[in-house]
PDB file of all heavy atoms in Angstrom:
ATOM      1  N   ASP A 133      32.265  -4.132 -31.218  1.00 89.00           N
ATOM      2  CA  ASP A 133      33.343  -3.707 -30.330  1.00 89.00           C
ATOM      3  C   ASP A 133      33.334  -2.173 -30.328  1.00 89.00           C
ATOM      4  O   ASP A 133      33.518  -1.559 -31.381  1.00 89.00           O
ATOM      5  CB  ASP A 133      34.679  -4.229 -30.856  1.00 89.00           C
ATOM      6  CG  ASP A 133      35.861  -3.854 -29.957  1.00 89.00           C
ATOM      7  OD1 ASP A 133      35.722  -2.939 -29.118  1.00 89.00           O
ATOM      8  OD2 ASP A 133      36.936  -4.465 -30.124  1.00 89.00           O
ATOM      9  N   PRO A 134      33.112  -1.533 -29.189  1.00 87.00           N
ATOM     10  CA  PRO A 134      33.037  -0.069 -29.155  1.00 87.00           C
ATOM     11  C   PRO A 134      34.303   0.632 -29.641  1.00 87.00           C
ATOM     12  O   PRO A 134      34.264   1.811 -29.993  1.00 87.00           O
ATOM     13  CB  PRO A 134      32.801   0.224 -27.667  1.00 87.00           C
ATOM     14  CG  PRO A 134      32.179  -1.010 -27.124  1.00 87.00           C
ATOM     15  CD  PRO A 134      32.838  -2.131 -27.877  1.00 87.00           C
ATOM     16  N   ALA A 135      35.411  -0.093 -29.685  1.00 83.00           N
ATOM     17  CA  ALA A 135      36.679   0.519 -30.081  1.00 83.00           C
ATOM     18  C   ALA A 135      37.006   0.309 -31.552  1.00 83.00           C
ATOM     19  O   ALA A 135      37.984   0.855 -32.056  1.00 83.00           O
ATOM     20  CB  ALA A 135      37.819  -0.037 -29.234  1.00 83.00           C
ATOM     21  N   VAL A 136      36.186  -0.495 -32.248  1.00 83.00           N
ATOM     22  CA  VAL A 136      36.520  -0.875 -33.624  1.00 83.00           C
ATOM     23  C   VAL A 136      35.358  -0.558 -34.569  1.00 83.00           C
ATOM     24  O   VAL A 136      34.193  -0.773 -34.234  1.00 83.00           O
ATOM     25  CB  VAL A 136      36.861  -2.378 -33.710  1.00 83.00           C
ATOM     26  CG1 VAL A 136      37.137  -2.794 -35.146  1.00 83.00           C
ATOM     27  CG2 VAL A 136      38.056  -2.696 -32.819  1.00 83.00           C
ATOM     28  N   ILE A 137      35.694  -0.049 -35.759  1.00 84.00           N
ATOM     29  CA  ILE A 137      34.697   0.226 -36.783  1.00 84.00           C
ATOM     30  C   ILE A 137      34.774  -0.845 -37.853  1.00 84.00           C
ATOM     31  O   ILE A 137      35.846  -1.139 -38.385  1.00 84.00           O
ATOM     32  CB  ILE A 137      34.938   1.604 -37.443  1.00 84.00           C
ATOM     33  CG1 ILE A 137      34.807   2.714 -36.408  1.00 84.00           C
ATOM     34  CG2 ILE A 137      33.953   1.830 -38.584  1.00 84.00           C
ATOM     35  CD1 ILE A 137      33.446   2.824 -35.780  1.00 84.00           C
ATOM     36  N   ASP A 138      33.633  -1.449 -38.161  1.00 87.00           N
ATOM     37  CA  ASP A 138      33.560  -2.437 -39.218  1.00 87.00           C
ATOM     38  C   ASP A 138      32.648  -1.887 -40.316  1.00 87.00           C
ATOM     39  O   ASP A 138      31.464  -1.637 -40.084  1.00 87.00           O
ATOM     40  CB  ASP A 138      32.996  -3.755 -38.686  1.00 87.00           C
ATOM     41  CG  ASP A 138      32.952  -4.835 -39.746  1.00 87.00           C
ATOM     42  OD1 ASP A 138      33.966  -5.492 -39.961  1.00 87.00           O
ATOM     43  OD2 ASP A 138      31.881  -4.981 -40.379  1.00 87.00           O
ATOM     44  N   LYS A 139      33.201  -1.665 -41.510  1.00 85.00           N
ATOM     45  CA  LYS A 139      32.449  -1.028 -42.591  1.00 85.00           C
ATOM     46  C   LYS A 139      31.216  -1.839 -42.988  1.00 85.00           C
ATOM     47  O   LYS A 139      30.161  -1.269 -43.271  1.00 85.00           O
ATOM     48  CB  LYS A 139      33.353  -0.815 -43.806  1.00 85.00           C
ATOM     49  CG  LYS A 139      34.409   0.260 -43.612  1.00 85.00           C
ATOM     50  CD  LYS A 139      35.187   0.497 -44.899  1.00 85.00           C
ATOM     51  CE  LYS A 139      36.199   1.623 -44.718  1.00 85.00           C
ATOM     52  NZ  LYS A 139      36.970   1.876 -45.983  1.00 85.00           N
ATOM     53  N   LYS A 140      31.349  -3.155 -43.013  1.00 88.00           N
ATOM     54  CA  LYS A 140      30.210  -3.984 -43.399  1.00 88.00           C
ATOM     55  C   LYS A 140      29.080  -3.877 -42.372  1.00 88.00           C
ATOM     56  O   LYS A 140      27.908  -3.819 -42.727  1.00 88.00           O
ATOM     57  CB  LYS A 140      30.656  -5.441 -43.557  1.00 88.00           C
ATOM     58  CG  LYS A 140      31.564  -5.676 -44.757  1.00 88.00           C
ATOM     59  CD  LYS A 140      31.913  -7.143 -44.896  1.00 88.00           C
ATOM     60  CE  LYS A 140      32.798  -7.374 -46.118  1.00 88.00           C
ATOM     61  NZ  LYS A 140      33.162  -8.822 -46.263  1.00 88.00           N
ATOM     62  N   THR A 141      29.451  -3.858 -41.097  1.00 92.00           N
ATOM     63  CA  THR A 141      28.447  -3.715 -40.044  1.00 92.00           C
ATOM     64  C   THR A 141      27.754  -2.367 -40.150  1.00 92.00           C
ATOM     65  O   THR A 141      26.520  -2.275 -40.036  1.00 92.00           O
ATOM     66  CB  THR A 141      29.099  -3.853 -38.655  1.00 92.00           C
ATOM     67  OG1 THR A 141      29.674  -5.155 -38.529  1.00 92.00           O
ATOM     68  CG2 THR A 141      28.077  -3.649 -37.548  1.00 92.00           C
ATOM     69  N   ASN A 142      28.531  -1.309 -40.375  1.00 91.00           N
ATOM     70  CA  ASN A 142      27.939   0.018 -40.496  1.00 91.00           C
ATOM     71  C   ASN A 142      27.014   0.108 -41.700  1.00 91.00           C
ATOM     72  O   ASN A 142      25.970   0.757 -41.650  1.00 91.00           O
ATOM     73  CB  ASN A 142      29.029   1.081 -40.595  1.00 91.00           C
ATOM     74  CG  ASN A 142      29.610   1.421 -39.235  1.00 91.00           C
ATOM     75  OD1 ASN A 142      29.308   0.760 -38.243  1.00 91.00           O
ATOM     76  ND2 ASN A 142      30.448   2.436 -39.181  1.00 91.00           N
ATOM     77  N   LYS A 143      27.386  -0.538 -42.787  1.00 89.00           N
ATOM     78  CA  LYS A 143      26.540  -0.539 -43.983  1.00 89.00           C
ATOM     79  C   LYS A 143      25.202  -1.218 -43.679  1.00 89.00           C
ATOM     80  O   LYS A 143      24.144  -0.735 -44.095  1.00 89.00           O
ATOM     81  CB  LYS A 143      27.254  -1.247 -45.134  1.00 89.00           C
ATOM     82  CG  LYS A 143      26.484  -1.249 -46.452  1.00 89.00           C
ATOM     83  CD  LYS A 143      27.289  -1.905 -47.557  1.00 89.00           C
ATOM     84  CE  LYS A 143      26.490  -2.024 -48.835  1.00 89.00           C
ATOM     85  NZ  LYS A 143      26.081  -0.721 -49.392  1.00 89.00           N
ATOM     86  N   ARG A 144      25.261  -2.342 -42.937  1.00 91.00           N
ATOM     87  CA  ARG A 144      24.019  -3.038 -42.579  1.00 91.00           C
ATOM     88  C   ARG A 144      23.154  -2.165 -41.677  1.00 91.00           C
ATOM     89  O   ARG A 144      21.923  -2.147 -41.816  1.00 91.00           O
ATOM     90  CB  ARG A 144      24.346  -4.369 -41.893  1.00 91.00           C
ATOM     91  CG  ARG A 144      24.869  -5.441 -42.826  1.00 91.00           C
ATOM     92  CD  ARG A 144      24.796  -6.812 -42.168  1.00 91.00           C
ATOM     93  NE  ARG A 144      25.633  -6.886 -40.982  1.00 91.00           N
ATOM     94  CZ  ARG A 144      26.899  -7.291 -40.996  1.00 91.00           C
ATOM     95  NH1 ARG A 144      27.479  -7.634 -42.133  1.00 91.00           N
ATOM     96  NH2 ARG A 144      27.602  -7.352 -39.877  1.00 91.00           N
ATOM     97  N   LYS A 145      23.782  -1.455 -40.753  1.00 93.00           N
ATOM     98  CA  LYS A 145      23.017  -0.567 -39.864  1.00 93.00           C
ATOM     99  C   LYS A 145      22.310   0.516 -40.670  1.00 93.00           C
ATOM    100  O   LYS A 145      21.132   0.804 -40.460  1.00 93.00           O
ATOM    101  CB  LYS A 145      23.940   0.075 -38.819  1.00 93.00           C
ATOM    102  CG  LYS A 145      24.384  -0.866 -37.725  1.00 93.00           C
ATOM    103  CD  LYS A 145      25.037  -0.111 -36.568  1.00 93.00           C
ATOM    104  CE  LYS A 145      26.349   0.504 -36.955  1.00 93.00           C
ATOM    105  NZ  LYS A 145      27.056   1.104 -35.800  1.00 93.00           N
ATOM    106  N   ILE A 146      23.057   1.125 -41.567  1.00 92.00           N
ATOM    107  CA  ILE A 146      22.485   2.206 -42.379  1.00 92.00           C
ATOM    108  C   ILE A 146      21.314   1.695 -43.205  1.00 92.00           C
ATOM    109  O   ILE A 146      20.265   2.346 -43.288  1.00 92.00           O
ATOM    110  CB  ILE A 146      23.570   2.818 -43.291  1.00 92.00           C
ATOM    111  CG1 ILE A 146      24.594   3.580 -42.445  1.00 92.00           C
ATOM    112  CG2 ILE A 146      22.951   3.755 -44.328  1.00 92.00           C
ATOM    113  CD1 ILE A 146      25.805   4.058 -43.210  1.00 92.00           C
ATOM    114  N   GLU A 147      21.473   0.531 -43.825  1.00 89.00           N
ATOM    115  CA  GLU A 147      20.398  -0.043 -44.631  1.00 89.00           C
ATOM    116  C   GLU A 147      19.156  -0.282 -43.773  1.00 89.00           C
ATOM    117  O   GLU A 147      18.025  -0.060 -44.223  1.00 89.00           O
ATOM    118  CB  GLU A 147      20.867  -1.345 -45.273  1.00 89.00           C
ATOM    119  CG  GLU A 147      21.894  -1.127 -46.379  1.00 89.00           C
ATOM    120  CD  GLU A 147      22.513  -2.422 -46.871  1.00 89.00           C
ATOM    121  OE1 GLU A 147      22.288  -3.471 -46.202  1.00 89.00           O
ATOM    122  OE2 GLU A 147      23.214  -2.398 -47.881  1.00 89.00           O
ATOM    123  N   SER A 148      19.372  -0.728 -42.553  1.00 92.00           N
ATOM    124  CA  SER A 148      18.247  -0.956 -41.644  1.00 92.00           C
ATOM    125  C   SER A 148      17.584   0.358 -41.246  1.00 92.00           C
ATOM    126  O   SER A 148      16.358   0.487 -41.278  1.00 92.00           O
ATOM    127  CB  SER A 148      18.736  -1.692 -40.393  1.00 92.00           C
ATOM    128  OG  SER A 148      17.741  -1.745 -39.395  1.00 92.00           O
ATOM    129  N   TRP A 149      18.382   1.360 -40.896  1.00 93.00           N
ATOM    130  CA  TRP A 149      17.846   2.645 -40.451  1.00 93.00           C
ATOM    131  C   TRP A 149      17.076   3.373 -41.539  1.00 93.00           C
ATOM    132  O   TRP A 149      16.142   4.113 -41.261  1.00 93.00           O
ATOM    133  CB  TRP A 149      18.984   3.539 -39.951  1.00 93.00           C
ATOM    134  CG  TRP A 149      19.637   3.045 -38.700  1.00 93.00           C
ATOM    135  CD1 TRP A 149      19.150   2.101 -37.831  1.00 93.00           C
ATOM    136  CD2 TRP A 149      20.905   3.443 -38.161  1.00 93.00           C
ATOM    137  NE1 TRP A 149      20.027   1.895 -36.802  1.00 93.00           N
ATOM    138  CE2 TRP A 149      21.107   2.703 -36.967  1.00 93.00           C
ATOM    139  CE3 TRP A 149      21.875   4.356 -38.574  1.00 93.00           C
ATOM    140  CZ2 TRP A 149      22.248   2.858 -36.179  1.00 93.00           C
ATOM    141  CZ3 TRP A 149      23.023   4.502 -37.809  1.00 93.00           C
ATOM    142  CH2 TRP A 149      23.200   3.770 -36.628  1.00 93.00           C
ATOM    143  N   MET A 150      17.484   3.161 -42.797  1.00 90.00           N
ATOM    144  CA  MET A 150      16.798   3.863 -43.880  1.00 90.00           C
ATOM    145  C   MET A 150      15.363   3.393 -44.070  1.00 90.00           C
ATOM    146  O   MET A 150      14.572   4.038 -44.750  1.00 90.00           O
ATOM    147  CB  MET A 150      17.593   3.726 -45.186  1.00 90.00           C
ATOM    148  CG  MET A 150      18.823   4.608 -45.236  1.00 90.00           C
ATOM    149  SD  MET A 150      19.537   4.766 -46.896  1.00 90.00           S
ATOM    150  CE  MET A 150      20.120   3.104 -47.182  1.00 90.00           C
ATOM    151  N   GLU A 151      15.016   2.278 -43.463  1.00 88.00           N
ATOM    152  CA  GLU A 151      13.641   1.811 -43.518  1.00 88.00           C
ATOM    153  C   GLU A 151      12.754   2.561 -42.532  1.00 88.00           C
ATOM    154  O   GLU A 151      11.531   2.376 -42.506  1.00 88.00           O
ATOM    155  CB  GLU A 151      13.585   0.309 -43.240  1.00 88.00           C
ATOM    156  CG  GLU A 151      14.297  -0.531 -44.296  1.00 88.00           C
ATOM    157  CD  GLU A 151      14.171  -2.014 -44.028  1.00 88.00           C
ATOM    158  OE1 GLU A 151      13.231  -2.404 -43.299  1.00 88.00           O
ATOM    159  OE2 GLU A 151      14.998  -2.783 -44.528  1.00 88.00           O
ATOM    160  N   PHE A 152      13.354   3.412 -41.710  1.00 89.00           N
ATOM    161  CA  PHE A 152      12.617   4.214 -40.740  1.00 89.00           C
ATOM    162  C   PHE A 152      12.926   5.696 -40.996  1.00 89.00           C
ATOM    163  O   PHE A 152      13.823   6.259 -40.361  1.00 89.00           O
ATOM    164  CB  PHE A 152      13.016   3.833 -39.310  1.00 89.00           C
ATOM    165  CG  PHE A 152      12.805   2.380 -38.984  1.00 89.00           C
ATOM    166  CD1 PHE A 152      13.832   1.455 -39.171  1.00 89.00           C
ATOM    167  CD2 PHE A 152      11.586   1.942 -38.493  1.00 89.00           C
ATOM    168  CE1 PHE A 152      13.645   0.115 -38.875  1.00 89.00           C
ATOM    169  CE2 PHE A 152      11.389   0.600 -38.192  1.00 89.00           C
ATOM    170  CZ  PHE A 152      12.412  -0.315 -38.376  1.00 89.00           C
ATOM    171  N   PRO A 153      12.252   6.330 -41.940  1.00 85.00           N
ATOM    172  CA  PRO A 153      12.569   7.718 -42.326  1.00 85.00           C
ATOM    173  C   PRO A 153      12.562   8.703 -41.167  1.00 85.00           C
ATOM    174  O   PRO A 153      13.261   9.717 -41.208  1.00 85.00           O
ATOM    175  CB  PRO A 153      11.465   8.060 -43.340  1.00 85.00           C
ATOM    176  CG  PRO A 153      11.046   6.739 -43.888  1.00 85.00           C
ATOM    177  CD  PRO A 153      11.139   5.785 -42.737  1.00 85.00           C
ATOM    178  N   GLU A 154      11.795   8.404 -40.101  1.00 84.00           N
ATOM    179  CA  GLU A 154      11.738   9.320 -38.962  1.00 84.00           C
ATOM    180  C   GLU A 154      13.082   9.461 -38.258  1.00 84.00           C
ATOM    181  O   GLU A 154      13.343  10.452 -37.571  1.00 84.00           O
ATOM    182  CB  GLU A 154      10.662   8.876 -37.964  1.00 84.00           C
ATOM    183  CG  GLU A 154      10.973   7.597 -37.187  1.00 84.00           C
ATOM    184  CD  GLU A 154      10.598   6.326 -37.906  1.00 84.00           C
ATOM    185  OE1 GLU A 154      10.240   6.403 -39.101  1.00 84.00           O
ATOM    186  OE2 GLU A 154      10.657   5.251 -37.276  1.00 84.00           O
ATOM    187  N   LEU A 155      13.981   8.471 -38.451  1.00 90.00           N
ATOM    188  CA  LEU A 155      15.296   8.542 -37.818  1.00 90.00           C
ATOM    189  C   LEU A 155      16.160   9.647 -38.418  1.00 90.00           C
ATOM    190  O   LEU A 155      17.074  10.149 -37.750  1.00 90.00           O
ATOM    191  CB  LEU A 155      16.029   7.200 -37.946  1.00 90.00           C
ATOM    192  CG  LEU A 155      15.513   6.049 -37.079  1.00 90.00           C
ATOM    193  CD1 LEU A 155      16.297   4.776 -37.369  1.00 90.00           C
ATOM    194  CD2 LEU A 155      15.606   6.403 -35.598  1.00 90.00           C
ATOM    195  N   TYR A 156      15.888  10.013 -39.647  1.00 88.00           N
ATOM    196  CA  TYR A 156      16.672  11.065 -40.302  1.00 88.00           C
ATOM    197  C   TYR A 156      16.602  12.355 -39.488  1.00 88.00           C
ATOM    198  O   TYR A 156      17.618  12.994 -39.210  1.00 88.00           O
ATOM    199  CB  TYR A 156      16.144  11.288 -41.715  1.00 88.00           C
ATOM    200  CG  TYR A 156      16.922  12.286 -42.539  1.00 88.00           C
ATOM    201  CD1 TYR A 156      18.212  12.009 -42.963  1.00 88.00           C
ATOM    202  CD2 TYR A 156      16.358  13.500 -42.920  1.00 88.00           C
ATOM    203  CE1 TYR A 156      18.928  12.910 -43.739  1.00 88.00           C
ATOM    204  CE2 TYR A 156      17.057  14.410 -43.702  1.00 88.00           C
ATOM    205  CZ  TYR A 156      18.334  14.110 -44.111  1.00 88.00           C
ATOM    206  OH  TYR A 156      19.036  15.015 -44.877  1.00 88.00           O
ATOM    207  N   GLY A 157      15.389  12.735 -39.078  1.00 84.00           N
ATOM    208  CA  GLY A 157      15.230  13.934 -38.260  1.00 84.00           C
ATOM    209  C   GLY A 157      15.889  13.786 -36.903  1.00 84.00           C
ATOM    210  O   GLY A 157      16.478  14.737 -36.380  1.00 84.00           O
ATOM    211  N   PHE A 158      15.821  12.586 -36.329  1.00 87.00           N
ATOM    212  CA  PHE A 158      16.465  12.324 -35.041  1.00 87.00           C
ATOM    213  C   PHE A 158      17.969  12.511 -35.148  1.00 87.00           C
ATOM    214  O   PHE A 158      18.592  13.188 -34.319  1.00 87.00           O
ATOM    215  CB  PHE A 158      16.124  10.900 -34.594  1.00 87.00           C
ATOM    216  CG  PHE A 158      17.018  10.358 -33.508  1.00 87.00           C
ATOM    217  CD1 PHE A 158      17.093  10.970 -32.259  1.00 87.00           C
ATOM    218  CD2 PHE A 158      17.787   9.217 -33.737  1.00 87.00           C
ATOM    219  CE1 PHE A 158      17.919  10.461 -31.261  1.00 87.00           C
ATOM    220  CE2 PHE A 158      18.608   8.698 -32.753  1.00 87.00           C
ATOM    221  CZ  PHE A 158      18.675   9.325 -31.512  1.00 87.00           C
ATOM    222  N   PHE A 159      18.570  11.939 -36.181  1.00 87.00           N
ATOM    223  CA  PHE A 159      20.016  12.079 -36.369  1.00 87.00           C
ATOM    224  C   PHE A 159      20.406  13.543 -36.561  1.00 87.00           C
ATOM    225  O   PHE A 159      21.397  14.013 -35.989  1.00 87.00           O
ATOM    226  CB  PHE A 159      20.481  11.259 -37.576  1.00 87.00           C
ATOM    227  CG  PHE A 159      20.358   9.771 -37.400  1.00 87.00           C
ATOM    228  CD1 PHE A 159      20.068   8.959 -38.489  1.00 87.00           C
ATOM    229  CD2 PHE A 159      20.543   9.181 -36.166  1.00 87.00           C
ATOM    230  CE1 PHE A 159      19.969   7.587 -38.341  1.00 87.00           C
ATOM    231  CE2 PHE A 159      20.437   7.809 -35.994  1.00 87.00           C
ATOM    232  CZ  PHE A 159      20.147   7.001 -37.102  1.00 87.00           C
TER     233      PHE A 159
END
Side-chain angles (χ1 to χ4, degrees):
D133 181 343
V136 177
I137 298 298
D138 182 84
K139 289 185 177 180
K140 291 183 179 180
T141 298
N142 280 8
K143 183 177 175 62
R144 287 196 297 269
K145 286 192 292 186
I146 291 172
E147 289 171 349
S148 170
W149 293 344
M150 284 194 293
E151 296 183 21
F152 303 92
E154 70 275 9
L155 288 177
Y156 184 68
F158 163 61
F159 293 147

